[in-house]
Amino acid sequence: MSNELKYVTIKAKHEGCWTSYANNSIILSLGRTFNPEKNIIRAFMIMDKNDIKTIYTLKIQGKIKDVLNISYKGRNNYVVDMILPYKNSTLEMLNNKDVLVLDMTNAKGDEIWNIVAYSDQIREMTKDLSTELRIEQMTITDLDDKLDNLSSEELKTIFLAFNSGYYEYPRKTTIKAMANMLKVKESTVVYHLRRGERKVINNFISSYIKKD
């Protein structure tokens, strides 16, 4: 059996994490950066006014390191720029398994993670996650089903980035190196990479809204 890339959605409860206390609504992630050495995740989350009160309570309790900025986007939606602990986070556990993390949503206290992983990574990943998380649901589908609307250039660029370690920390390759491998300009790599990543995330958001 070939080692195929799979699209995996994990729904889990992470007791003690800030996500388990923000259990009244759906909080969407716009994206994140992380620095293991400094033990921080900088996350941009979309939430409503009531969730912001919870976030500040969690900051006082030490569950959240800091809130850097809050901006109002209309219809009771706010974008919160906040600092979270990296150590013992689900993101740290996933990064340690060398899978591609696409997105995260907090749905009434449950973490919903969407990742891309090789089929032979999934069993060990699930075993390790289960030591810290209570996994409530996991769906595994062929990656092709999620990438039908990507162009061949976008697919090729994303697969090269994934297999070359671009999404690992620290990164094992650069935009310049991938441009040399593909024999294209660096701006072309960035263009196809960003468009492809956006489509993958949009596919998740669309499927999530349909299920909800």
Side-chain angles (χ1 to χ4, degrees):
M1 182 178 177
S2 61
N3 190 20
E4 299 178 343
L5 280 170
K6 299 292 184 179
Y7 187 95
V8 184
T9 299
I10 303 166
K11 179 181 179 182
K13 182 79 70 176
H14 192 177
E15 298 293 346
C17 180
W18 74 272
T19 54
S20 64
Y21 298 95
N23 54 14
N24 292 319
S25 61
I26 296 176
I27 300 176
L28 299 175
S29 171
L30 282 178
R32 73 205 65 79
T33 61
F34 58 94
N35 188 319
E37 284 77 14
K38 294 183 178 180
N39 187 30
I40 62 171
I41 301 170
R42 184 176 181 181
F44 298 84
M45 313 295 290
I46 302 175
M47 61 187 72
D48 64 25
K49 190 173 183 179
N50 291 328
D51 291 316
I52 292 175
K53 296 178 182 178
T54 302
I55 293 301
Y56 274 109
T57 299
L58 293 173
K59 178 185 174 184
I60 294 172
Q61 295 173 350
K63 304 294 183 183
I64 290 175
K65 284 178 171 285
D66 201 2
V67 177
L68 301 180
N69 186 59
I70 298 175
S71 55
Y72 180 61
K73 296 303 179 183
R75 297 184 180 180
N76 199 33
N77 288 322
Y78 296 80
V79 175
V80 180
D81 179 1
M82 58 188 185
I83 303 295
L84 308 168
Y86 181 78
K87 187 174 176 57
N88 298 323
S89 67
T90 307
L91 180 61
E92 180 188 35
M93 289 183 272
L94 290 171
N95 285 340
N96 287 341
K97 307 316 295 182
D98 292 328
V99 300
L100 173 59
V101 178
L102 298 177
D103 213 319
M104 176 269 185
T105 301
N106 183 40
K108 298 183 178 180
D110 290 327
E111 295 182 6
I112 301 175
W113 292 86
N114 292 275
I115 68 170
V116 173
Y118 284 105
S119 54
D120 68 354
Q121 293 177 299
I122 296 175
R123 181 187 295 273
E124 184 178 352
M125 177 194 70
T126 304
K127 181 180 178 180
D128 287 357
L129 289 176
S130 297
T131 63
E132 298 291 338
L133 309 180
R134 185 172 78 244
I135 297 178
E136 300 175 346
Q137 183 179 355
M138 177 181 291
T139 58
I140 303 170
T141 57
D142 290 335
L143 189 60
D144 290 346
D145 296 339
K146 298 291 183 180
L147 301 180
D148 287 344
N149 63 338
L150 269 72
S151 69
S152 59
E153 291 82 5
E154 291 161 356
L155 278 171
K156 181 167 60 177
T157 306
I158 285 180
F159 286 156
L160 176 62
F162 181 74
N163 289 319
S164 301
Y166 179 76
Y167 294 107
E168 296 180 23
Y169 184 90
R171 286 177 173 168
K172 295 182 178 179
T173 190
T174 63
I175 294 293
K176 182 177 181 179
M178 289 190 291
N180 289 335
M181 285 186 275
L182 294 170
K183 294 181 171 43
V184 297
K185 295 180 180 179
E186 291 180 42
S187 59
T188 301
V189 173
V190 173
Y191 175 76
H192 290 313
L193 201 60
R194 297 294 174 262
R195 281 180 60 88
E197 290 169 343
R198 179 174 293 276
K199 288 179 180 180
V200 170
I201 293 171
N202 283 343
N203 282 340
F204 156 66
I205 295 294
S206 298
S207 63
Y208 182 84
I209 291 174
K210 290 176 182 178
K211 290 178 182 178
D212 190 55

